[in-house]
Amino acid sequence: MSENGHKILLIEDDERLSKLIKKGLEENGFEVFPVYDGEMALKLFDNEHFDLIITDLILPKMNGLDICKAIRKNASKVPIIMLTALGTTDDKLDGFDAGADDYLVKPFDFRELHARIKTLLKRAKSESKKSNSAIIKYADLAVDTFQKKAFRQGVELQLTPKEYKLLAFLVNNPERVLSREEIAKKVWGLDFDTGTNFIDVYINYLRKKVDKPFDFPLIHTRTGMGFILQQS
């Protein structure tokens, strides 16, 4: 099955694993560019167009978090998957805060990696077709979906990439209770693990920036159900 020649930058210092991933992706029609350290990855990224990046977290010369931050600093929206043996909730939160779109823990099933790649590429294609001037408003909150910025009472909110995605999802679904399962699926592209609390952690991050500095809260908890964006 061809994937229309999408170009993937693969950053993995385990040469054996890198070759296995490269082989599997090429068999599915992807064009794969493997590199083994962070500095070389950024040099290649600066000189080539890639449709998606897969990166390990622990790498020579520059780690995966710094790679993500450097790419996002240049306003690139290329989808990034972190593929690493570090799988605690804190590790995942650090990855998402750095700008990763997805996080897959080793050891992994190649079919799952392939499915997540297809999901991210489909999402990126869909987003590229959207209007480049859409501003979504609710109460005194405004989200600029082109510039990826959010404002409340005209004040810009300093959000991480994942905080922005979560807020944008809430603003697109105002006055509707959103379950943790739905948020995990729509914002992170993940099945919600009831053993983790990363959704609650991000909601708390948002409340500190969206609600706390202002006159009244917009983000509310519905016990046993989820969260809702609502003007009380």
Side-chain angles (χ1 to χ4, degrees), residues 3-228:
E3 301 289 352
N4 298 318
H6 284 112
K7 295 171 66 174
I8 294 179
L9 176 59
L10 173 61
I11 315 166
E12 170 59 66
D13 62 331
D14 183 329
E15 189 171 348
R16 177 179 172 276
L17 178 58
S18 178
K19 287 180 178 179
L20 286 173
I21 295 173
K22 181 175 185 290
K23 181 176 182 292
L25 292 176
E26 288 179 341
E27 287 175 351
N28 283 279
F30 295 102
E31 189 175 358
V32 183
F33 295 74
V35 292
Y36 305 104
D37 69 70
E39 288 185 359
M40 183 59 68
L42 283 185
K43 288 179 181 178
L44 188 56
F45 179 78
D46 287 340
N47 290 284
E48 294 279 350
H49 166 77
F50 292 101
D51 298 294
L52 184 137
I53 296 172
I54 302 171
T55 182
D56 195 356
L57 186 54
I58 300 175
L59 293 162
K61 299 184 180 180
M62 179 182 288
N63 65 45
L65 295 178
D66 289 337
I67 291 171
C68 284
K69 291 174 183 176
I71 289 172
R72 296 304 185 220
K73 187 176 181 181
N74 291 325
S76 173
K77 300 174 186 175
V78 61
I80 300 174
I81 298 176
M82 280 200 167
L83 187 64
T84 174
L86 302 178
T88 69
T89 298
D90 285 342
D91 291 325
K92 294 177 182 179
L93 292 176
D94 287 342
F96 289 133
D97 280 344
D101 297 281
D102 205 347
Y103 198 107
L104 187 59
V105 178
K106 301 174 184 175
F108 63 94
D109 187 318
F110 180 81
R111 292 171 299 176
E112 182 176 3
L113 174 62
H114 185 209
R116 294 190 183 201
I117 289 171
K118 291 196 295 182
T119 296
L120 286 177
L121 290 174
K122 182 178 180 181
R123 182 190 303 170
K125 183 178 180 181
S126 175
E127 288 180 354
S128 71
K129 292 180 178 180
K130 292 180 181 178
S131 169
N132 63 3
S133 61
I135 295 179
I136 306 168
K137 294 183 179 181
Y138 179 79
D140 55 1
L141 187 64
V143 173
D144 185 328
T145 61
F146 176 52
Q147 297 189 45
K148 306 298 182 186
K149 293 181 179 181
F151 304 83
R152 186 162 185 196
Q153 296 179 8
V155 178
E156 183 175 353
L157 307 175
Q158 300 303 314
L159 305 177
T160 66
K162 197 56 68 174
E163 288 169 355
Y164 166 80
K165 286 188 176 182
L166 176 55
L167 181 60
F169 182 61
L170 293 174
V171 174
N172 272 300
N173 295 274
E175 301 182 2
R176 181 168 78 84
V177 176
L178 303 169
S179 69
R180 290 169 177 81
E181 291 79 7
E182 184 176 4
I183 293 172
K185 190 70 174 178
K186 297 295 179 62
V187 178
W188 275 268
L190 303 172
D191 291 326
F192 180 64
D193 181 355
T194 56
T196 66
N197 66 338
F198 74 93
I199 301 294
D200 297 73
V201 170
Y202 268 93
I203 289 290
N204 286 332
Y205 287 164
L206 270 188
R207 282 177 167 149
K208 289 177 182 178
K209 297 178 179 182
V210 175
D211 287 343
K212 190 173 181 180
F214 300 96
D215 299 333
F216 55 89
L218 290 172
I219 303 170
H220 304 275
T221 301
R222 292 291 182 264
T223 303
M225 295 185 288
F227 306 96
I228 184 170

